[in-house]
mmCIF file of all heavy atoms in Angstrom:
data_model
loop_
_atom_site.group_PDB
_atom_site.id
_atom_site.type_symbol
_atom_site.label_atom_id
_atom_site.label_comp_id
_atom_site.label_asym_id
_atom_site.label_seq_id
_atom_site.Cartn_x
_atom_site.Cartn_y
_atom_site.Cartn_z
ATOM 1 N N ASP A 2 31.340 -71.517 -0.072
ATOM 2 C CA ASP A 2 32.467 -71.256 -0.997
ATOM 3 C C ASP A 2 33.068 -72.480 -1.516
ATOM 4 O O ASP A 2 33.487 -72.470 -2.720
ATOM 5 C CB ASP A 2 33.612 -70.440 -0.228
ATOM 6 C CG ASP A 2 33.085 -69.072 0.150
ATOM 7 O OD1 ASP A 2 32.220 -68.496 -0.503
ATOM 8 O OD2 ASP A 2 33.746 -68.383 0.989
ATOM 9 N N GLU A 3 33.160 -73.634 -0.705
ATOM 10 C CA GLU A 3 33.685 -74.835 -1.287
ATOM 11 C C GLU A 3 32.828 -75.411 -2.442
ATOM 12 O O GLU A 3 33.293 -75.955 -3.398
ATOM 13 C CB GLU A 3 33.812 -75.916 -0.189
ATOM 14 C CG GLU A 3 34.858 -75.615 0.739
ATOM 15 C CD GLU A 3 34.918 -76.664 1.982
ATOM 16 O OE1 GLU A 3 34.286 -77.767 1.796
ATOM 17 O OE2 GLU A 3 35.484 -76.319 2.972
ATOM 18 N N ILE A 4 31.509 -75.258 -2.253
ATOM 19 C CA ILE A 4 30.615 -75.733 -3.336
ATOM 20 C C ILE A 4 30.791 -74.814 -4.583
ATOM 21 O O ILE A 4 30.902 -75.422 -5.734
ATOM 22 C CB ILE A 4 29.102 -75.616 -2.854
ATOM 23 C CG1 ILE A 4 28.923 -76.633 -1.709
ATOM 24 C CG2 ILE A 4 28.199 -75.763 -4.012
ATOM 25 C CD1 ILE A 4 27.562 -76.438 -1.010
ATOM 26 N N HIS A 5 30.931 -73.591 -4.468
ATOM 27 C CA HIS A 5 31.113 -72.671 -5.618
ATOM 28 C C HIS A 5 32.453 -73.025 -6.331
ATOM 29 O O HIS A 5 32.579 -73.081 -7.531
ATOM 30 C CB HIS A 5 31.018 -71.281 -5.304
ATOM 31 C CG HIS A 5 29.664 -70.852 -4.812
ATOM 32 N ND1 HIS A 5 28.522 -71.249 -5.352
ATOM 33 C CD2 HIS A 5 29.322 -69.869 -3.876
ATOM 34 C CE1 HIS A 5 27.533 -70.702 -4.751
ATOM 35 N NE2 HIS A 5 27.967 -69.804 -3.816
ATOM 36 N N GLN A 6 33.421 -73.258 -5.487
ATOM 37 C CA GLN A 6 34.761 -73.658 -5.974
ATOM 38 C C GLN A 6 34.771 -74.953 -6.836
ATOM 39 O O GLN A 6 35.231 -75.104 -7.890
ATOM 40 C CB GLN A 6 35.799 -73.799 -4.841
ATOM 41 C CG GLN A 6 37.188 -74.130 -5.206
ATOM 42 C CD GLN A 6 38.038 -72.911 -5.440
ATOM 43 O OE1 GLN A 6 37.667 -71.778 -4.998
ATOM 44 N NE2 GLN A 6 39.224 -73.024 -5.937
ATOM 45 N N LYS A 7 34.007 -75.925 -6.233
ATOM 46 C CA LYS A 7 33.903 -77.249 -6.935
ATOM 47 C C LYS A 7 33.198 -77.133 -8.236
ATOM 48 O O LYS A 7 33.802 -77.658 -9.285
ATOM 49 C CB LYS A 7 33.018 -78.166 -6.051
ATOM 50 C CG LYS A 7 32.651 -79.442 -6.684
ATOM 51 C CD LYS A 7 31.535 -80.163 -5.826
ATOM 52 C CE LYS A 7 30.676 -80.993 -6.727
ATOM 53 N NZ LYS A 7 29.554 -81.568 -5.941
ATOM 54 N N TRP A 8 32.086 -76.394 -8.343
ATOM 55 C CA TRP A 8 31.422 -76.229 -9.595
ATOM 56 C C TRP A 8 32.244 -75.376 -10.578
ATOM 57 O O TRP A 8 32.225 -75.602 -11.799
ATOM 58 C CB TRP A 8 30.073 -75.707 -9.459
ATOM 59 C CG TRP A 8 29.131 -76.695 -8.756
ATOM 60 C CD1 TRP A 8 28.472 -76.533 -7.562
ATOM 61 C CD2 TRP A 8 28.752 -78.026 -9.174
ATOM 62 N NE1 TRP A 8 27.758 -77.684 -7.207
ATOM 63 C CE2 TRP A 8 27.908 -78.595 -8.207
ATOM 64 C CE3 TRP A 8 29.026 -78.811 -10.308
ATOM 65 C CZ2 TRP A 8 27.280 -79.849 -8.342
ATOM 66 C CZ3 TRP A 8 28.421 -80.052 -10.416
ATOM 67 C CH2 TRP A 8 27.619 -80.587 -9.469
ATOM 68 N N MET A 9 32.800 -74.363 -10.047
ATOM 69 C CA MET A 9 33.618 -73.482 -10.973
ATOM 70 C C MET A 9 34.771 -74.262 -11.579
ATOM 71 O O MET A 9 35.133 -74.042 -12.809
ATOM 72 C CB MET A 9 34.164 -72.261 -10.171
ATOM 73 C CG MET A 9 34.795 -71.193 -11.092
ATOM 74 S SD MET A 9 33.691 -70.538 -12.303
ATOM 75 C CE MET A 9 32.983 -69.182 -11.275
ATOM 76 N N GLU A 10 35.397 -75.050 -10.855
ATOM 77 C CA GLU A 10 36.539 -75.892 -11.443
ATOM 78 C C GLU A 10 36.035 -76.646 -12.625
ATOM 79 O O GLU A 10 36.765 -76.849 -13.587
ATOM 80 C CB GLU A 10 37.028 -76.857 -10.331
ATOM 81 C CG GLU A 10 37.955 -76.155 -9.367
ATOM 82 C CD GLU A 10 38.461 -76.994 -8.216
ATOM 83 O OE1 GLU A 10 38.270 -78.268 -8.302
ATOM 84 O OE2 GLU A 10 38.996 -76.473 -7.266
ATOM 85 N N LYS A 11 34.804 -77.251 -12.527
ATOM 86 C CA LYS A 11 34.279 -77.918 -13.687
ATOM 87 C C LYS A 11 33.966 -77.050 -14.885
ATOM 88 O O LYS A 11 34.154 -77.402 -16.013
ATOM 89 C CB LYS A 11 32.928 -78.609 -13.284
ATOM 90 C CG LYS A 11 33.116 -79.748 -12.303
ATOM 91 C CD LYS A 11 31.920 -80.552 -12.113
ATOM 92 C CE LYS A 11 31.988 -81.670 -11.064
ATOM 93 N NZ LYS A 11 33.094 -82.628 -11.367
ATOM 94 N N SER A 12 33.564 -75.784 -14.662
ATOM 95 C CA SER A 12 33.331 -74.864 -15.775
ATOM 96 C C SER A 12 34.627 -74.526 -16.408
ATOM 97 O O SER A 12 34.650 -74.282 -17.674
ATOM 98 C CB SER A 12 32.683 -73.590 -15.215
ATOM 99 O OG SER A 12 33.556 -72.723 -14.523
ATOM 100 N N PHE A 13 35.793 -74.641 -15.723
ATOM 101 C CA PHE A 13 37.118 -74.338 -16.437
ATOM 102 C C PHE A 13 37.453 -75.447 -17.391
ATOM 103 O O PHE A 13 38.173 -75.242 -18.342
ATOM 104 C CB PHE A 13 38.124 -74.219 -15.352
ATOM 105 C CG PHE A 13 38.266 -72.764 -14.889
ATOM 106 C CD1 PHE A 13 37.707 -72.370 -13.718
ATOM 107 C CD2 PHE A 13 38.923 -71.815 -15.648
ATOM 108 C CE1 PHE A 13 37.801 -71.095 -13.265
ATOM 109 C CE2 PHE A 13 39.042 -70.509 -15.234
ATOM 110 C CZ PHE A 13 38.488 -70.110 -14.025
ATOM 111 N N ASP A 14 36.916 -76.710 -17.302
ATOM 112 C CA ASP A 14 37.156 -77.670 -18.308
ATOM 113 C C ASP A 14 36.630 -77.171 -19.603
ATOM 114 O O ASP A 14 37.331 -77.431 -20.656
ATOM 115 C CB ASP A 14 36.401 -78.975 -17.961
ATOM 116 C CG ASP A 14 36.969 -79.650 -16.693
ATOM 117 O OD1 ASP A 14 38.129 -79.381 -16.284
ATOM 118 O OD2 ASP A 14 36.211 -80.436 -16.122
ATOM 119 N N TYR A 15 35.516 -76.488 -19.664
ATOM 120 C CA TYR A 15 34.932 -76.025 -20.864
ATOM 121 C C TYR A 15 35.657 -74.808 -21.439
ATOM 122 O O TYR A 15 35.833 -74.649 -22.650
ATOM 123 C CB TYR A 15 33.535 -75.763 -20.736
ATOM 124 C CG TYR A 15 32.818 -77.090 -20.391
ATOM 125 C CD1 TYR A 15 32.622 -77.392 -19.003
ATOM 126 C CD2 TYR A 15 32.524 -78.125 -21.294
ATOM 127 C CE1 TYR A 15 31.981 -78.635 -18.706
ATOM 128 C CE2 TYR A 15 31.980 -79.259 -20.989
ATOM 129 C CZ TYR A 15 31.698 -79.585 -19.597
ATOM 130 O OH TYR A 15 31.192 -80.798 -19.265
ATOM 131 N N ALA A 16 36.178 -73.953 -20.508
ATOM 132 C CA ALA A 16 36.944 -72.738 -20.920
ATOM 133 C C ALA A 16 38.310 -73.273 -21.519
ATOM 134 O O ALA A 16 38.741 -72.698 -22.554
ATOM 135 C CB ALA A 16 37.261 -71.906 -19.691
ATOM 136 N N GLU A 17 38.935 -74.301 -20.960
ATOM 137 C CA GLU A 17 40.147 -74.817 -21.486
ATOM 138 C C GLU A 17 39.905 -75.443 -22.850
ATOM 139 O O GLU A 17 40.653 -75.290 -23.816
ATOM 140 C CB GLU A 17 40.747 -75.874 -20.591
ATOM 141 C CG GLU A 17 41.301 -75.240 -19.339
ATOM 142 C CD GLU A 17 41.686 -76.142 -18.178
ATOM 143 O OE1 GLU A 17 41.551 -77.402 -18.445
ATOM 144 O OE2 GLU A 17 42.009 -75.714 -17.077
ATOM 145 N N ASP A 18 38.767 -76.073 -23.058
ATOM 146 C CA ASP A 18 38.434 -76.656 -24.411
ATOM 147 C C ASP A 18 38.266 -75.540 -25.403
ATOM 148 O O ASP A 18 38.647 -75.600 -26.533
ATOM 149 C CB ASP A 18 37.146 -77.472 -24.340
ATOM 150 C CG ASP A 18 36.882 -78.217 -25.535
ATOM 151 O OD1 ASP A 18 37.785 -78.784 -26.138
ATOM 152 O OD2 ASP A 18 35.653 -78.183 -26.020
ATOM 153 N N ALA A 19 37.618 -74.374 -24.959
ATOM 154 C CA ALA A 19 37.471 -73.264 -25.949
ATOM 155 C C ALA A 19 38.810 -72.678 -26.290
ATOM 156 O O ALA A 19 39.084 -72.448 -27.485
ATOM 157 C CB ALA A 19 36.606 -72.215 -25.182
ATOM 158 N N LEU A 20 39.698 -72.624 -25.255
ATOM 159 C CA LEU A 20 41.092 -72.083 -25.633
ATOM 160 C C LEU A 20 41.834 -72.924 -26.552
ATOM 161 O O LEU A 20 42.347 -72.440 -27.596
ATOM 162 C CB LEU A 20 41.882 -71.956 -24.310
ATOM 163 C CG LEU A 20 43.259 -71.303 -24.347
ATOM 164 C CD1 LEU A 20 43.142 -69.863 -24.919
ATOM 165 C CD2 LEU A 20 43.918 -71.311 -23.006
ATOM 166 N N LYS A 21 41.678 -74.274 -26.405
ATOM 167 C CA LYS A 21 42.302 -75.227 -27.338
ATOM 168 C C LYS A 21 41.667 -75.068 -28.743
ATOM 169 O O LYS A 21 42.316 -75.352 -29.737
ATOM 170 C CB LYS A 21 42.187 -76.598 -26.896
ATOM 171 C CG LYS A 21 43.051 -76.958 -25.615
ATOM 172 C CD LYS A 21 42.769 -78.330 -25.147
ATOM 173 C CE LYS A 21 43.437 -78.610 -23.844
ATOM 174 N NZ LYS A 21 42.992 -79.840 -23.197
ATOM 175 N N SER A 22 40.466 -74.707 -28.833
ATOM 176 C CA SER A 22 39.732 -74.552 -30.087
ATOM 177 C C SER A 22 39.899 -73.124 -30.661
ATOM 178 O O SER A 22 39.164 -72.799 -31.671
ATOM 179 C CB SER A 22 38.345 -74.861 -29.889
ATOM 180 O OG SER A 22 38.104 -76.160 -29.446
ATOM 181 N N LYS A 23 40.711 -72.349 -30.115
ATOM 182 C CA LYS A 23 40.967 -70.960 -30.528
ATOM 183 C C LYS A 23 39.755 -70.038 -30.433
ATOM 184 O O LYS A 23 39.501 -69.218 -31.164
ATOM 185 C CB LYS A 23 41.544 -70.930 -31.912
ATOM 186 C CG LYS A 23 42.912 -71.633 -32.012
ATOM 187 C CD LYS A 23 43.544 -71.483 -33.335
ATOM 188 C CE LYS A 23 44.891 -72.201 -33.249
ATOM 189 N NZ LYS A 23 45.565 -72.379 -34.395
ATOM 190 N N GLU A 24 38.991 -70.284 -29.358
ATOM 191 C CA GLU A 24 37.804 -69.482 -28.936
ATOM 192 C C GLU A 24 38.230 -68.651 -27.731
ATOM 193 O O GLU A 24 39.128 -69.111 -26.951
ATOM 194 C CB GLU A 24 36.680 -70.304 -28.623
ATOM 195 C CG GLU A 24 36.102 -71.188 -29.774
ATOM 196 C CD GLU A 24 35.232 -70.332 -30.710
ATOM 197 O OE1 GLU A 24 34.921 -69.249 -30.448
ATOM 198 O OE2 GLU A 24 34.897 -70.996 -31.760
ATOM 199 N N VAL A 25 37.537 -67.552 -27.490
ATOM 200 C CA VAL A 25 37.693 -66.827 -26.205
ATOM 201 C C VAL A 25 37.415 -67.827 -25.134
ATOM 202 O O VAL A 25 36.384 -68.507 -25.092
ATOM 203 C CB VAL A 25 36.865 -65.633 -26.161
ATOM 204 C CG1 VAL A 25 36.980 -64.971 -24.769
ATOM 205 C CG2 VAL A 25 37.139 -64.655 -27.206
ATOM 206 N N PRO A 26 38.356 -68.041 -24.112
ATOM 207 C CA PRO A 26 38.241 -69.144 -23.118
ATOM 208 C C PRO A 26 37.176 -68.835 -22.035
ATOM 209 O O PRO A 26 37.508 -68.371 -20.974
ATOM 210 C CB PRO A 26 39.525 -69.228 -22.548
ATOM 211 C CG PRO A 26 40.191 -67.896 -22.723
ATOM 212 C CD PRO A 26 39.557 -67.357 -24.051
ATOM 213 N N VAL A 27 35.947 -69.016 -22.455
ATOM 214 C CA VAL A 27 34.853 -68.873 -21.456
ATOM 215 C C VAL A 27 34.160 -70.226 -21.447
ATOM 216 O O VAL A 27 33.783 -70.750 -22.497
ATOM 217 C CB VAL A 27 33.859 -67.713 -21.840
ATOM 218 C CG1 VAL A 27 32.690 -67.724 -20.837
ATOM 219 C CG2 VAL A 27 34.560 -66.413 -21.935
ATOM 220 N N GLY A 28 33.893 -70.755 -20.232
ATOM 221 C CA GLY A 28 33.228 -71.952 -20.070
ATOM 222 C C GLY A 28 32.209 -71.818 -18.922
ATOM 223 O O GLY A 28 32.402 -71.055 -18.040
ATOM 224 N N CYS A 29 31.151 -72.640 -19.062
ATOM 225 C CA CYS A 29 30.111 -72.561 -17.947
ATOM 226 C C CYS A 29 29.457 -73.893 -17.763
ATOM 227 O O CYS A 29 29.469 -74.775 -18.673
ATOM 228 C CB CYS A 29 29.196 -71.383 -18.180
ATOM 229 S SG CYS A 29 28.040 -71.769 -19.621
ATOM 230 N N ILE A 30 28.763 -74.010 -16.643
ATOM 231 C CA ILE A 30 27.837 -75.150 -16.380
ATOM 232 C C ILE A 30 26.606 -74.605 -15.719
ATOM 233 O O ILE A 30 26.636 -73.630 -14.944
ATOM 234 C CB ILE A 30 28.468 -76.239 -15.585
ATOM 235 C CG1 ILE A 30 28.910 -75.707 -14.115
ATOM 236 C CG2 ILE A 30 29.693 -76.847 -16.243
ATOM 237 C CD1 ILE A 30 29.371 -76.782 -13.199
ATOM 238 N N LEU A 31 25.562 -75.259 -15.919
ATOM 239 C CA LEU A 31 24.217 -74.936 -15.162
ATOM 240 C C LEU A 31 23.922 -76.148 -14.348
ATOM 241 O O LEU A 31 23.868 -77.273 -14.815
ATOM 242 C CB LEU A 31 23.083 -74.666 -16.158
ATOM 243 C CG LEU A 31 22.893 -73.238 -16.553
ATOM 244 C CD1 LEU A 31 22.194 -73.126 -17.900
ATOM 245 C CD2 LEU A 31 22.124 -72.516 -15.503
ATOM 246 N N VAL A 32 23.847 -75.852 -12.960
ATOM 247 C CA VAL A 32 23.699 -76.872 -12.022
ATOM 248 C C VAL A 32 22.181 -76.832 -11.486
ATOM 249 O O VAL A 32 21.799 -75.737 -10.961
ATOM 250 C CB VAL A 32 24.701 -76.773 -10.874
ATOM 251 C CG1 VAL A 32 24.482 -77.838 -9.841
ATOM 252 C CG2 VAL A 32 26.114 -76.825 -11.413
ATOM 253 N N TYR A 33 21.502 -77.925 -11.540
ATOM 254 C CA TYR A 33 20.189 -77.981 -11.129
ATOM 255 C C TYR A 33 20.035 -78.525 -9.754
ATOM 256 O O TYR A 33 20.621 -79.592 -9.433
ATOM 257 C CB TYR A 33 19.386 -78.894 -12.118
ATOM 258 C CG TYR A 33 17.905 -79.126 -11.898
ATOM 259 C CD1 TYR A 33 17.043 -78.054 -11.725
ATOM 260 C CD2 TYR A 33 17.516 -80.454 -11.728
ATOM 261 C CE1 TYR A 33 15.609 -78.348 -11.509
ATOM 262 C CE2 TYR A 33 16.119 -80.738 -11.528
ATOM 263 C CZ TYR A 33 15.205 -79.621 -11.359
ATOM 264 O OH TYR A 33 13.884 -79.887 -11.197
ATOM 265 N N ARG A 34 19.382 -77.784 -8.890
ATOM 266 C CA ARG A 34 19.073 -78.176 -7.541
ATOM 267 C C ARG A 34 20.425 -78.467 -6.769
ATOM 268 O O ARG A 34 20.459 -79.330 -5.801
ATOM 269 C CB ARG A 34 18.186 -79.362 -7.356
ATOM 270 C CG ARG A 34 16.804 -79.003 -7.852
ATOM 271 C CD ARG A 34 15.845 -80.211 -7.576
ATOM 272 N NE ARG A 34 14.481 -79.804 -7.799
ATOM 273 C CZ ARG A 34 13.523 -80.650 -7.792
ATOM 274 N NH1 ARG A 34 13.687 -81.904 -7.494
ATOM 275 N NH2 ARG A 34 12.234 -80.215 -7.941
ATOM 276 N N GLY A 35 21.546 -77.822 -7.108
ATOM 277 C CA GLY A 35 22.766 -78.022 -6.404
ATOM 278 C C GLY A 35 23.506 -79.346 -6.533
ATOM 279 O O GLY A 35 24.507 -79.604 -5.934
ATOM 280 N N GLU A 36 22.954 -80.205 -7.515
ATOM 281 C CA GLU A 36 23.628 -81.465 -7.633
ATOM 282 C C GLU A 36 23.795 -82.058 -8.986
ATOM 283 O O GLU A 36 24.563 -82.905 -9.254
ATOM 284 C CB GLU A 36 22.798 -82.434 -6.748
ATOM 285 C CG GLU A 36 21.334 -82.563 -7.113
ATOM 286 C CD GLU A 36 20.538 -83.365 -6.069
ATOM 287 O OE1 GLU A 36 20.667 -83.150 -4.944
ATOM 288 O OE2 GLU A 36 19.646 -84.077 -6.601
ATOM 289 N N GLU A 37 23.062 -81.566 -9.976
ATOM 290 C CA GLU A 37 23.105 -82.160 -11.312
ATOM 291 C C GLU A 37 23.502 -81.088 -12.365
ATOM 292 O O GLU A 37 22.727 -80.101 -12.521
ATOM 293 C CB GLU A 37 21.823 -82.793 -11.640
ATOM 294 C CG GLU A 37 21.751 -83.547 -12.923
ATOM 295 C CD GLU A 37 20.443 -84.182 -13.279
ATOM 296 O OE1 GLU A 37 19.529 -84.095 -12.477
ATOM 297 O OE2 GLU A 37 20.392 -84.788 -14.293
ATOM 298 N N VAL A 38 24.502 -81.413 -13.165
ATOM 299 C CA VAL A 38 24.932 -80.527 -14.284
ATOM 300 C C VAL A 38 23.932 -80.908 -15.404
ATOM 301 O O VAL A 38 23.881 -81.981 -15.929
ATOM 302 C CB VAL A 38 26.324 -80.726 -14.662
ATOM 303 C CG1 VAL A 38 26.691 -79.956 -15.963
ATOM 304 C CG2 VAL A 38 27.298 -80.385 -13.569
ATOM 305 N N ILE A 39 23.157 -79.846 -15.795
ATOM 306 C CA ILE A 39 22.144 -80.148 -16.891
ATOM 307 C C ILE A 39 22.402 -79.397 -18.128
ATOM 308 O O ILE A 39 21.777 -79.581 -19.148
ATOM 309 C CB ILE A 39 20.653 -79.833 -16.349
ATOM 310 C CG1 ILE A 39 20.619 -78.283 -15.939
ATOM 311 C CG2 ILE A 39 20.272 -80.814 -15.235
ATOM 312 C CD1 ILE A 39 19.194 -77.825 -15.606
ATOM 313 N N GLY A 40 23.474 -78.542 -18.090
ATOM 314 C CA GLY A 40 23.833 -77.823 -19.359
ATOM 315 C C GLY A 40 25.272 -77.307 -19.138
ATOM 316 O O GLY A 40 25.700 -76.997 -18.038
ATOM 317 N N VAL A 41 26.003 -77.404 -20.263
ATOM 318 C CA VAL A 41 27.371 -76.988 -20.289
ATOM 319 C C VAL A 41 27.591 -76.129 -21.506
ATOM 320 O O VAL A 41 26.907 -76.290 -22.497
ATOM 321 C CB VAL A 41 28.396 -78.114 -20.216
ATOM 322 C CG1 VAL A 41 28.235 -78.987 -19.033
ATOM 323 C CG2 VAL A 41 28.352 -78.995 -21.569
ATOM 324 N N GLY A 42 28.575 -75.227 -21.482
ATOM 325 C CA GLY A 42 28.884 -74.548 -22.623
ATOM 326 C C GLY A 42 30.294 -73.976 -22.692
ATOM 327 O O GLY A 42 30.909 -73.803 -21.630
ATOM 328 N N ARG A 43 30.745 -73.694 -23.885
ATOM 329 C CA ARG A 43 31.987 -72.953 -24.119
ATOM 330 C C ARG A 43 31.714 -72.088 -25.327
ATOM 331 O O ARG A 43 30.813 -72.354 -26.036
ATOM 332 C CB ARG A 43 33.105 -73.832 -24.316
ATOM 333 C CG ARG A 43 33.073 -74.700 -25.572
ATOM 334 C CD ARG A 43 34.426 -75.210 -25.976
ATOM 335 N NE ARG A 43 34.464 -75.961 -27.171
ATOM 336 C CZ ARG A 43 34.500 -75.518 -28.394
ATOM 337 N NH1 ARG A 43 34.554 -74.237 -28.647
ATOM 338 N NH2 ARG A 43 34.592 -76.338 -29.420
ATOM 339 N N ASN A 44 32.486 -71.017 -25.380
ATOM 340 C CA ASN A 44 32.339 -70.145 -26.594
ATOM 341 C C ASN A 44 32.499 -70.990 -27.879
ATOM 342 O O ASN A 44 33.457 -71.779 -28.013
ATOM 343 C CB ASN A 44 33.309 -68.969 -26.515
ATOM 344 C CG ASN A 44 32.814 -67.875 -25.699
ATOM 345 O OD1 ASN A 44 31.726 -68.007 -25.028
ATOM 346 N ND2 ASN A 44 33.537 -66.809 -25.607
ATOM 347 N N GLU A 45 31.571 -70.740 -28.827
ATOM 348 C CA GLU A 45 31.636 -71.349 -30.127
ATOM 349 C C GLU A 45 31.545 -70.359 -31.260
ATOM 350 O O GLU A 45 31.014 -70.741 -32.323
ATOM 351 C CB GLU A 45 30.479 -72.418 -30.208
ATOM 352 C CG GLU A 45 30.605 -73.513 -29.237
ATOM 353 C CD GLU A 45 29.413 -74.519 -29.277
ATOM 354 O OE1 GLU A 45 28.442 -74.203 -30.068
ATOM 355 O OE2 GLU A 45 29.447 -75.457 -28.549
ATOM 356 N N VAL A 46 31.844 -69.117 -31.014
ATOM 357 C CA VAL A 46 31.635 -67.982 -31.969
ATOM 358 C C VAL A 46 32.466 -68.168 -33.208
ATOM 359 O O VAL A 46 31.925 -68.131 -34.263
ATOM 360 C CB VAL A 46 31.973 -66.674 -31.217
ATOM 361 C CG1 VAL A 46 31.975 -65.564 -32.253
ATOM 362 C CG2 VAL A 46 30.994 -66.367 -30.099
ATOM 363 N N ASN A 47 33.696 -68.404 -33.041
ATOM 364 C CA ASN A 47 34.585 -68.549 -34.246
ATOM 365 C C ASN A 47 34.274 -69.832 -34.993
ATOM 366 O O ASN A 47 34.217 -69.827 -36.212
ATOM 367 C CB ASN A 47 36.038 -68.538 -33.758
ATOM 368 C CG ASN A 47 36.485 -67.208 -33.227
ATOM 369 O OD1 ASN A 47 35.926 -66.207 -33.557
ATOM 370 N ND2 ASN A 47 37.465 -67.264 -32.335
ATOM 371 N N GLU A 48 34.093 -70.845 -34.286
ATOM 372 C CA GLU A 48 33.767 -72.258 -34.898
ATOM 373 C C GLU A 48 32.530 -72.183 -35.743
ATOM 374 O O GLU A 48 32.529 -72.726 -36.869
ATOM 375 C CB GLU A 48 33.625 -73.203 -33.657
ATOM 376 C CG GLU A 48 33.451 -74.669 -34.076
ATOM 377 C CD GLU A 48 33.364 -75.433 -32.815
ATOM 378 O OE1 GLU A 48 33.997 -75.136 -31.791
ATOM 379 O OE2 GLU A 48 32.513 -76.398 -32.839
#
Side-chain angles (χ1 to χ4, degrees):
D2 289 339
E3 288 177 17
I4 292 168
H5 294 323
Q6 182 91 15
K7 168 190 151 185
W8 292 119
M9 188 62 85
E10 286 174 9
K11 292 189 183 305
S12 72
F13 273 99
D14 292 343
Y15 300 96
E17 288 168 8
D18 187 46
L20 185 60
K21 288 176 189 167
S22 299
K23 298 185 177 170
E24 296 280 354
V25 176
V27 178
C29 70
I30 61 172
L31 268 156
V32 179
Y33 178 56
R34 293 186 170 173
E36 58 193 37
E37 183 179 0
V38 176
I39 58 172
V41 302
R43 69 162 178 82
N44 277 6
E45 298 177 354
V46 171
N47 294 332
E48 181 181 326

